[in-house]
């Protein structure tokens, strides 16, 4: 909780600094040549880095780094309403958005399969390629093979392609009943 408030403090400081600089510029505008020569002295015109982090249900996180002039930070932040402030300092602000969907990477080439040690796993590509995106739980393969058809078991071993969130949840639901409990 303290980390969250610390982030708010940094964001608040950056916002106030940007606001003060903006007001100062409006009250006494400087010629462009004067601005360029005074950047290092007053911080006017400096760039602030906005790091946009997206976290997807399939376990993928991606980041986008956007340089934002300090005097435009408040206007830019309005475009990211609903994003969570993770951390920040005087030169960078990190925002997080939790996407309730699969990442484009998972939609493009995600496959559910079993790892070598019997764990239900989401792979980028076929399970044989072993590019793990996310792991879930160990499967009771004996119970699964006794309950499901041979074709369904083989599909999981070869890799079940997922294209969207509904398929993702369907696979988790189908194979969730074969999850090994800690007593087993």
């Amino acid at each position: 909780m303290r980390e969250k408030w610390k982030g708010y403090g940094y964001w608040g400081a950056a916002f106030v600094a940007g606001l003060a600089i903006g007001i100062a510029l409006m009250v006494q505008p400087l010629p462009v040549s004067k601005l360029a020569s005074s950047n290092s002295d007053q911080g006017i015109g400096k760039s602030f880095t906005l790091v946009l982090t997206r976290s997807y249900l399939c376990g993928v996180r991606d980041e986008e780094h956007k340089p934002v002039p300090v005097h435009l930070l408040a206007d830019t932040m309005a475009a990211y309403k609903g994003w969570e402030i993770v951390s920040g300092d005087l030169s960078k602000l990190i925002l997080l958005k939790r996407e309730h969907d699969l990442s484009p990477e998972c939609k493009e080439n995600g496959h559910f399969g079993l790892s070598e040690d019997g764990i239900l796993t989401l792979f980028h590509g076929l399970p044989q390629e072993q590019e793990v995106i996310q792991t879930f739980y160990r499967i009771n393969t004996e119970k699964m093979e006794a309950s499901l058809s041979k074709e369904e078991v083989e599909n999981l071993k070869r890799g079940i392609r997922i294209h969207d969130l509904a398929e993702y949840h369907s696979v988790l639901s189908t194979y969730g009943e074969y999850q090994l409990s800690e007593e087993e």
Side-chain angles (χ1 to χ4, degrees), residues 48-113:
F48 192 83
T49 302
L50 193 58
V51 180
L52 304 172
T53 305
R54 288 179 178 82
S55 175
Y56 296 92
L57 289 177
C58 61
V60 171
R61 282 180 92 107
D62 65 20
E63 283 188 0
E64 178 183 354
H65 295 254
K66 285 188 156 190
V68 177
V70 171
H71 69 281
L72 294 178
L73 183 59
D75 293 336
T76 302
M77 286 303 300
Y80 298 102
K81 185 179 179 181
W83 288 61
E84 178 182 335
I85 297 173
V86 176
S87 69
D89 58 33
L90 295 177
S91 64
K92 176 171 66 174
L93 183 64
I94 300 172
L95 303 179
L96 172 68
K97 184 174 185 183
R98 298 175 199 279
E99 299 284 356
H100 297 287
D101 198 2
L102 301 179
S103 71
E105 174 185 333
C106 291
K107 288 179 180 179
E108 181 182 306
N109 200 16
H111 289 79
F112 270 105

Side-chain angles (χ1 to χ4, degrees), residues 145-158:
E145 289 171 352
S147 301
L148 294 176
S149 71
K150 186 173 180 165
E151 182 182 337
E152 290 174 301
V153 172
E154 285 304 311
N155 283 343
L156 182 60
K157 289 180 180 177
R158 279 192 311 269

